[in-house]
Amino acid sequence: MDSVTEISGSALELPGLSPANADPELDALVREIIGRVADKWTMLALEVLEEHGPLRFTRVGELIGDVSQKMLTKTLRQMEADGLVVRTVFPVIPPRVEYHLTDLGRGLSEAFCGVWHWAEQHRDTIKASRLAFQERAAAAAQGD
Amino acid sequence: MDSVTEISGSALELPGLSPANADPELDALVREIIGRVADKWTMLALEVLEEHGPLRFTRVGELIGDVSQKMLTKTLRQMEADGLVVRTVFPVIPPRVEYHLTDLGRGLSEAFCGVWHWAEQHRDTIKASRLAFQERAAAAAQGD
DNA sequence: CTGAATCCATATGGATACTG
DNA sequence: CAGTATCCATATGGATTCAG
């Protein structure tokens, strides 16, 4: 059939992190997506929309906390472009715009849950590591 | 016993994304960690160290690809501070420095695997969404 | 080889003001 | 209300140079 050798056959194998892709384009896309998702505001927007369901623009901002209007707009637009949220404009005055997660967005939220959890579970270890590192650095500085 | 109410009791419940933490400090740390991990170079460094085991400084850079020496140093130092990698200096000339993942680093790599996989599996959907979004934008621009 | 230090271009993001 | 547009400060990151 197709002459392209299927290296891993199925996506269910879960290789370490990245398989030997040999496809730079796909690799770049994956990285871009991850980088985008990892963005602070995207992550938080994902959170509040997952937790509270459909929300108005201003409400999303309130729930996120200290996001500027500019970044909120940018973030939500990006998420819309990537198909993570749907933006619904109600042609009323004053304007009413609602955002809600798509299945894709929810799936991403779930996928990210693992990382979130890891961070929560190991927060103490990380804090301890940072402290130890600082002290090693301080000791080295003194030992000059 | 302790007077602090245990809200979720166990970490095995996997709430949507963030539980109602009510602990802004923890929340901030978690976000910082995630943000750091999500960093482009950290992620790639995690990858190559997971795949290839202990590596020398230059070798990590080669495997990552186009990272500058400055960013590689910064990334690895940060990972060391967070306890994700161990940096071993061999006092020889020329210098030989090896980096290898800790258990913490490997755990993170695994946790991130879910996101990686999500991105791989939905790359086509995302690409399609972006295209559709662009076309909607173009159509709207014309319809002015 | 493994960095540290510097210069510099660009990206990021907040504050503010304005619009429909 | 839900943005857009602008100004501006800072952060980021590449290129280059120097050093142990």
Side-chain angles (χ1 to χ4, degrees), chain B residues 36-143:
Chain B
R36 187 167 292 196
V37 169
D39 169 76
K40 183 181 177 186
W41 303 128
T42 301
M43 205 165 48
L44 294 176
L46 216 49
E47 263 185 67
V48 303
L49 287 170
E50 169 81 19
E51 274 198 66
H52 298 83
L55 292 172
R56 297 183 61 162
F57 179 83
T58 304
R59 189 65 183 136
V60 176
E62 288 171 0
L63 291 171
I64 285 182
D66 60 345
V67 61
S68 69
Q69 176 270 324
K70 180 184 178 179
M71 290 312 298
L72 185 55
T73 299
K74 183 183 172 185
T75 300
L76 289 172
R77 279 295 191 291
Q78 213 156 238
M79 292 174 74
E80 188 195 2
D82 288 344
L84 301 179
V85 302
V86 173
R87 177 172 175 266
T88 310
V89 181
F90 297 88
V92 296
I93 297 177
R96 175 190 184 85
V97 179
E98 271 192 6
Y99 296 85
H100 65 87
L101 286 187
T102 62
D103 287 343
L104 193 66
R106 268 183 292 274
L108 176 56
S109 180
E110 271 182 50
F112 223 90
C113 194
V115 181
W116 186 271
H117 238 74
W118 177 92
E120 272 187 332
Q121 292 186 319
H122 299 284
R123 62 186 184 276
D124 292 335
T125 306
I126 292 169
K127 272 163 62 173
S129 292
R130 287 183 186 174
L131 198 59
F133 182 79
Q134 282 179 358
E135 284 172 7
R136 282 200 303 276
Q142 197 188 15

Side-chain angles (χ1 to χ4, degrees), chain A residues 31 55 57 91 107 111 131 142:
Chain A
R31 265 184 246 156
L55 293 172
F57 179 83
L131 198 59
Q142 196 186 14

Side-chain angles (χ1 to χ4, degrees), chain A residues 11-86:
Chain A
L12 297 174
E13 298 184 59
L14 293 191
L17 244 183
S18 78
N21 265 333
D23 182 344
E25 186 184 319
L26 177 144
D27 208 55
L29 178 65
V30 170
R31 265 184 246 156
E32 188 200 333
I33 292 166
I34 291 179
R36 186 166 292 196
V37 169
D39 169 76
K40 183 181 176 185
W41 303 127
T42 302
M43 206 167 45
L44 294 177
L46 216 50
E47 262 185 69
V48 303
L49 287 170
E50 170 80 21
E51 274 197 64
H52 298 83
L55 293 172
R56 297 182 62 161
F57 179 83
T58 303
R59 188 65 183 138
V60 175
E62 288 172 359
L63 290 171
I64 285 182
D66 61 342
V67 61
S68 69
Q69 179 273 331
K70 179 184 177 181
M71 289 313 296
L72 184 55
T73 299
K74 184 182 172 186
T75 300
L76 289 172
R77 279 296 192 290
Q78 214 158 238
M79 293 174 75
E80 188 195 2
D82 288 344
L84 302 179
V85 303
V86 172

